[in-house]
Amino acid sequence: MTQTLFISPHDRLFVLTGAGISAESGLPTFRASDGLWAGHRIEDVCTPEAWERNPALVWQFYSERRAQGELAHPNPAHIALAVLERKLGERLFVCTQNVDDLHERAGSIRLLHMHGELAKSRCGAECGERPFTDRTVYKDLSAVGRCVCGAMLRPHIVFFGEIPLEMDRIQAEIAKATVMVVVGTSGSVYPAANFVQWARKGGSRTIYIGPEPPLNATAFTQVIEGKAGEVLPELFSSISSSS
Ligand SMILES: NC(=O)c1ccc[n+]([C@@H]2O[C@H](COP(=O)([O-])OP(=O)(O)OC[C@H]3O[C@@H](n4cnc5c(N)ncnc54)[C@H](O)[C@@H]3O)[C@@H](O)[C@H]2O)c1
Ligand SMILES: [Zn+2]
């Protein structure tokens, strides 16, 4: 059945995306593979403890993700969001849990990567140097560069157990929005899984899109079961720059 979102000129949209929006681009989600990410246990590759214990394995994992990410292309869901931004301008804000860069490659600009970015590295000692673009696929740990302070670089990724980036800005954008659209996230990673509750408290309409209901499905005003690449272009089709 066709699903279309109707908005008024007063509406502002906050969109949260998860691994599911990149699934049709060929990037694996966690839940599709029993809680493994590309065959690895999260505890082995995506926690501060893993980084302490075995930085070589962590860098190998994120180097593989970089190589895989370079080969992927934005799908119709990423493109639908970029097209929507051209219509709504600053009335649309996209927050992604994804570390791939498919949203920006589709053309999204008002975009925040709350869990970091695959294509960046930063100081492993958090000395204050800013993260920088780094698409290098490191062959082994000896190839990994050093920060100006001497510490080894680490991937610019928020490991499980670390605080997501720019939470103040996210809270402010959710507070300003009147509609929240959540796409392709299982509702099991916090604090992102709570955003729908924050939006509901502020009186927003909340819509989820994905092939199956997320864990926090009951918090949504509406759940649309379907693939992001098929649902989003249709969902936004009635929205124009004067909507
Ligand atoms: N592409 C990436 O950057 C990537 C990939 C895997 C994991 N991660 C990281 O792991 C965490 C995973 O949590 P999560 O909740 O985002 O993902 P998740 O793996 O826990 O859940 C993926 C969700 O996407 C849904 N889905 C599958 N195919 C879909 C489709 N075609 N359209 C719409 N939805 C679809 C599934 O039903 C599931 O609910 C994130 O924090 C993220 O940083 C990132
Ligand atoms: Zn440093």
Side-chain angles (χ1 to χ4, degrees):
M1 195 180 68
T2 308
Q3 302 270 6
T4 310
L5 178 65
F6 292 97
I7 63 167
S8 82
H10 305 292
D11 281 319
R12 300 179 66 99
L13 271 65
F14 181 100
V15 177
L16 172 68
T17 67
I21 198 168
S22 296
E24 288 160 82
S25 295
L27 300 181
T29 66
F30 285 151
R31 311 303 141 181
S33 44
D34 294 330
L36 297 180
W37 189 356
H40 291 269
R41 294 187 325 146
I42 302 311
E43 308 84 284
D44 294 339
V45 291
C46 199
T47 59
E49 295 75 23
W51 175 245
E52 279 287 310
R53 202 171 47 232
N54 195 346
L57 179 62
V58 174
W59 259 124
Q60 182 199 326
F61 174 74
Y62 282 106
S63 288
E64 285 166 7
R65 303 281 70 71
R66 280 181 178 176
Q68 188 185 40
E70 289 286 317
L71 297 175
H73 299 287
N75 67 52
H78 300 105
I79 293 165
L81 282 169
V83 169
L84 187 64
E85 184 178 334
R86 289 204 282 281
K87 293 176 184 166
L88 295 182
E90 56 98 45
R91 289 166 59 209
L92 172 69
F93 186 81
V94 178
C95 174
T96 186
Q97 297 173 84
N98 294 345
V99 295
D100 67 55
D101 61 0
L102 296 178
H103 281 302
E104 45 271 63
R105 280 163 54 196
S108 285
I109 295 166
R110 285 177 48 76
L111 170 72
L112 190 157
H113 282 274
M114 63 180 290
H115 291 158
E117 295 172 64
L118 262 184
K120 289 186 178 173
S121 296
R122 71 169 193 258
C123 174
E126 315 286 351
C127 75
E129 284 292 313
R130 291 189 59 73
F132 63 96
T133 300
D134 181 10
R135 298 178 190 274
T136 316
V137 175
Y138 293 110
K139 294 267 178 282
D140 54 53
L141 206 55
S142 66
V144 176
R146 302 258 155 194
C147 177
V148 287
C149 76
M152 185 167 50
L153 297 176
R154 67 168 263 185
H156 182 44
I157 297 288
V158 176
F159 293 142
F160 282 84
E162 295 181 328
I163 298 167
L165 307 172
E166 299 197 55
M167 284 306 299
D168 290 349
R169 184 165 170 217
I170 292 171
Q171 270 167 329
E173 291 291 345
I174 291 175
K176 277 195 286 185
T178 55
V179 181
M180 177 177 276
V181 176
V182 178
V183 188
T185 170
S186 56
S188 54
V189 178
Y190 286 84
N194 270 339
F195 291 179
V196 60
Q197 309 281 4
W198 302 351
R200 284 297 283 270
K201 277 197 195 115
S204 288
R205 268 189 283 164
T206 54
I207 302 154
Y208 178 82
I209 296 115
E212 65 210 354
L215 288 178
N216 54 358
T218 53
F220 287 89
T221 328
Q222 189 183 2
V223 172
I224 302 175
E225 290 191 29
K227 290 182 175 179
E230 292 167 10
V231 175
L232 289 198
E234 186 70 43
L235 190 70
F236 301 145
S237 61
S238 71
I239 299 177
S240 68
S241 24
S242 53
S243 290

